Coordinates of all heavy atoms in Angstrom, one line a residue:
A1310 N -10.7 120.6 7.9 CA -11.4 119.3 7.6 C -12.3 119.6 6.3 O -12.8 120.7 6.2 CB -12.3 119.0 8.7
A1311 N -12.3 118.7 5.4 CA -13.0 118.9 4.2 C -13.7 117.6 3.7 O -13.3 116.5 4.1 CB -12.1 119.4 3.1
G1312 N -14.7 117.8 2.9 CA -15.4 116.6 2.3 C -14.8 116.3 1.0 O -14.4 117.2 0.2
G1313 N -14.5 115.0 0.8 CA -13.9 114.6 -0.5 C -14.9 114.6 -1.6 O -16.0 114.0 -1.5
N1384 N -16.9 127.0 0.4 CA -18.3 127.3 0.4 C -18.6 128.0 1.7 O -17.9 127.8 2.7 CB -19.2 126.1 0.4 CG -19.5 125.6 -1.0 OD1 -19.1 126.2 -2.0 ND2 -20.2 124.4 -1.1
T1388 N -24.7 124.8 5.9 CA -25.2 123.5 5.4 C -24.1 122.8 4.7 O -23.2 123.4 4.1 CB -26.3 123.7 4.4 OG1 -25.9 124.6 3.3 CG2 -27.6 124.2 5.0
Y1389 N -24.1 121.5 4.8 CA -23.2 120.7 3.9 C -23.9 120.8 2.5 O -25.0 121.3 2.4 CB -23.2 119.2 4.4 CG -22.4 119.0 5.6 CD1 -23.0 118.6 6.8 CD2 -21.0 119.3 5.7 CE1 -22.3 118.4 8.0 CE2 -20.3 119.2 6.9 CZ -20.9 118.7 8.0 OH -20.2 118.6 9.2
E1390 N -23.2 120.3 1.5 CA -23.7 120.5 0.1 C -24.8 119.5 -0.2 O -24.9 118.5 0.5 CB -22.6 120.3 -0.9 CG -21.4 121.2 -0.7 CD -20.6 121.1 0.6 OE1 -20.5 119.9 1.0 OE2 -20.2 122.1 1.2
V1406 N -14.2 119.9 -0.5 CA -15.0 121.1 -0.2 C -15.1 121.3 1.3 O -15.2 120.4 2.1 CB -16.4 121.0 -0.8 CG1 -17.2 119.7 -0.4 CG2 -17.3 122.2 -0.5
G1407 N -15.0 122.6 1.7 CA -15.1 123.0 3.1 C -15.6 124.4 3.3 O -16.0 125.0 2.3
M1408 N -15.6 124.9 4.5 CA -16.3 126.1 4.8 C -15.3 127.2 5.4 O -15.7 128.1 6.1 CB -17.4 125.9 5.8 CG -18.4 124.8 5.4 SD -19.6 124.5 6.7 CE -20.3 123.0 6.2
C1429 N -7.8 117.7 5.8 CA -8.0 116.3 6.2 C -9.4 115.9 5.6 O -10.4 116.6 5.9 CB -8.0 116.3 7.7 SG -8.7 114.8 8.4
S1431 N -12.4 114.4 5.9 CA -13.0 113.8 7.1 C -14.2 113.0 6.7 O -14.7 112.1 7.4 CB -13.5 114.9 8.0 OG -14.3 115.9 7.3
N1432 N -14.7 113.1 5.5 CA -15.9 112.4 5.0 C -15.9 112.6 3.5 O -15.3 113.4 2.9 CB -17.2 113.0 5.6 CG -17.3 114.5 5.2 OD1 -16.7 115.3 5.9 ND2 -18.1 114.8 4.2
M1433 N -16.6 111.7 2.8 CA -16.9 111.9 1.4 C -18.0 112.9 1.3 O -19.0 112.8 2.1 CB -17.2 110.6 0.7 CG -16.0 109.6 0.6 SD -14.4 110.4 0.0 CE -14.8 110.6 -1.7
A1434 N -18.0 113.8 0.4 CA -19.0 114.8 0.2 C -20.4 114.2 -0.1 O -20.4 113.0 -0.5 CB -18.6 115.8 -0.8
A1435 N -21.4 115.0 0.1 CA -22.8 114.5 0.1 C -23.1 113.7 -1.2 O -22.6 114.2 -2.3 CB -23.8 115.6 0.3
L1442 N -24.5 113.2 6.3 CA -23.3 113.8 6.9 C -23.6 114.4 8.2 O -24.7 114.9 8.5 CB -22.8 114.9 6.0 CG -22.5 114.6 4.5 CD1 -21.7 115.8 3.9 CD2 -21.6 113.4 4.4
V1447 N -17.1 114.2 11.1 CA -16.0 115.0 10.8 C -14.9 115.0 11.9 O -13.7 114.8 11.7 CB -16.4 116.5 10.5 CG1 -15.2 117.4 10.4 CG2 -17.3 116.5 9.3
Ligands
HPA1525 N1 -18.7 119.8 3.2 C1 -18.3 121.1 3.6 N2 -17.5 121.2 4.6 C2 -17.0 120.2 5.3 C3 -17.3 118.9 4.8 C4 -18.2 118.7 3.7 O1 -18.5 117.6 3.3 N3 -16.7 118.0 5.7 C5 -16.0 118.8 6.5 N4 -16.1 120.1 6.3

Side-chain angles (χ1 to χ4, degrees):
N1384 271 357
T1388 53
Y1389 291 115
E1390 300 67 38
V1406 56
M1408 307 175 193
C1429 167
S1431 54
N1432 57 281
M1433 292 312 287
L1442 304 188
V1447 172

